[in-house]
Amino acid sequence: MYSKNNDFGKYFLHVIAAVRIGYKKYYSTLTFSIDPGKKLGLMVFLDDYYLDSYCCFEKSDFFAIIHKYITIFEEENPTLMKLNFKLGRGVLDITYDLVKQIYIMFQNRKYLRVCLIDEFKSSQFKLPKNTIGKKFTKDEISALILAFRFGIDVRFDNYDDIFNQLRMKKIFIKKTKTEQSKNHDEPLLSLDEVVEKVLSGKLTLSNAIEIINANNA
C-alpha cells in the first residue's frame, strides 16, 4: 500500500509489476534486452514477462534505469536477483563499452548472464498493431526482437577475447529466422502475433523464444 513515507516511483513500479505479471512478494529475475546505437532501445522483462521499455539518448540514462529496477525489486529481497543482459552487436564499440560497464557494476554477482545477439534485420520489423496503449520507438521494438534470439554468452574473463574475435570476424552468430514457426504446444504464430502476445502479457519471453526458434532446431 502506498504511503507518504514511500517513494512514489517505487510504488508505481510495483503496481505495474502486479498488473502485468501478478503480485509477488519477491521477484527473482530481471532481463534487459538492448539495441545499442546513437539511441539505446531497452526492453525490461521481470520474471520472464514484459514489464516496460525505453529509448535512452545517453548511456548514463540506460544505466540509471537498470540500476533503478534492480534496486527497487531487490529491496527487502533476501537473495540477489538473477540478471540477464542481451545486447545487439551491430555497433561493436558501443556494445563493448556497455558490456565493460555491466561487468564493472555486477561482476561479483553469482547469477549474471551477458549475451551478444546478431542484429540481422531487427530494426526492420514494424509493429502492425498496438493493443497496450503505448507508442514504441523503432529502437525499443528492435530491442524486443533481439530478446527473442540466441547469441554468444560472454563472461568477465573472456569478453575481451570474444570482442576481438568478432572484430576480426572469427566468430559468426547464426542468424535467426523470425517469419513464423510451429511448436507442438502452440498453434502456428507469426512474428506479429508473438510480439503482440508478449507485449500484452499473454506470452512469456521464454515461450516466445521457443516458438520463434523452433524451426531452427
Side-chain angles (χ1 to χ4, degrees):
M1 182 177 294
Y2 175 70
S3 71
K4 291 182 179 179
N5 294 325
N6 288 333
D7 177 76
F8 180 75
K10 177 177 70 176
Y11 170 77
F12 185 66
L13 273 185
H14 278 285
V15 169
I16 293 176
V19 170
R20 294 188 177 166
I21 300 161
Y23 171 77
K24 295 180 181 180
K25 187 174 182 179
Y26 304 122
Y27 297 92
S28 63
T29 306
L30 275 165
T31 298
F32 302 98
S33 184
I34 304 112
D35 176 33
K38 291 182 179 179
K39 295 179 290 183
L40 279 73
L42 171 63
M43 281 276 166
V44 183
F45 297 86
L46 181 64
D47 282 2
D48 217 24
Y49 282 93
Y50 164 74
L51 183 61
D52 212 342
S53 62
Y54 299 86
C55 182
C56 306
F57 291 87
E58 301 289 342
K59 284 189 287 186
S60 58
D61 297 333
F62 163 75
F63 284 108
I65 289 169
I66 65 171
H67 182 267
K68 176 183 72 173
Y69 276 90
I70 294 167
T71 300
I72 287 175
F73 287 110
E74 280 191 339
E75 188 176 34
E76 299 181 2
N77 194 325
T79 59
L80 293 178
M81 298 181 74
K82 297 177 182 177
L83 303 181
N84 300 315
F85 292 88
K86 304 185 78 170
L87 300 98
R89 63 177 189 91
V91 187
L92 276 181
D93 288 343
I94 295 177
T95 304
Y96 176 83
D97 287 342
L98 293 174
V99 170
K100 182 178 180 180
Q101 186 62 34
I102 287 168
Y103 275 115
I104 289 173
M105 295 173 67
F106 305 117
Q107 65 173 294
N108 293 323
R109 283 183 174 252
K110 182 178 180 180
Y111 297 107
L112 172 65
R113 184 187 181 200
V114 179
C115 187
L116 305 181
I117 312 294
D118 195 316
E119 292 187 28
F120 179 69
K121 292 187 176 180
S122 64
S123 61
Q124 295 183 15
F125 179 80
K126 298 185 184 302
L127 191 63
K129 60 180 179 178
N130 187 342
T131 60
I132 71 168
K134 174 178 178 175
K135 292 186 69 175
F136 296 93
T137 67
K138 68 175 184 178
D139 305 279
E140 292 168 77
I141 293 300
S142 181
L144 177 61
I145 299 303
L146 295 178
F148 297 153
R149 297 180 177 178
F150 297 122
I152 297 176
D153 286 334
V154 299
R155 304 185 309 273
F156 175 70
D157 61 356
N158 74 356
Y159 76 87
D160 270 316
D161 182 56
I162 287 178
F163 272 96
N164 286 334
Q165 292 184 58
L166 286 169
R167 291 187 181 100
M168 293 185 290
K169 302 187 184 302
K170 291 185 177 181
I171 295 179
F172 297 93
I173 303 176
K174 181 181 178 182
K175 295 180 175 62
T176 302
K177 297 178 182 177
T178 52
E179 298 302 322
Q180 59 183 18
S181 57
K182 191 172 184 179
N183 181 277
H184 65 278
D185 293 324
E186 297 283 347
L188 188 67
L189 291 177
S190 68
L191 179 58
D192 294 354
E193 292 171 316
V194 171
V195 167
E196 192 277 331
K197 286 180 178 292
V198 168
L199 293 178
S200 62
K202 298 176 182 176
L203 195 66
T204 66
L205 177 59
S206 294
N207 286 338
I209 291 171
E210 183 180 0
I211 292 168
I212 288 174
N213 290 280
N215 62 343
N216 295 300

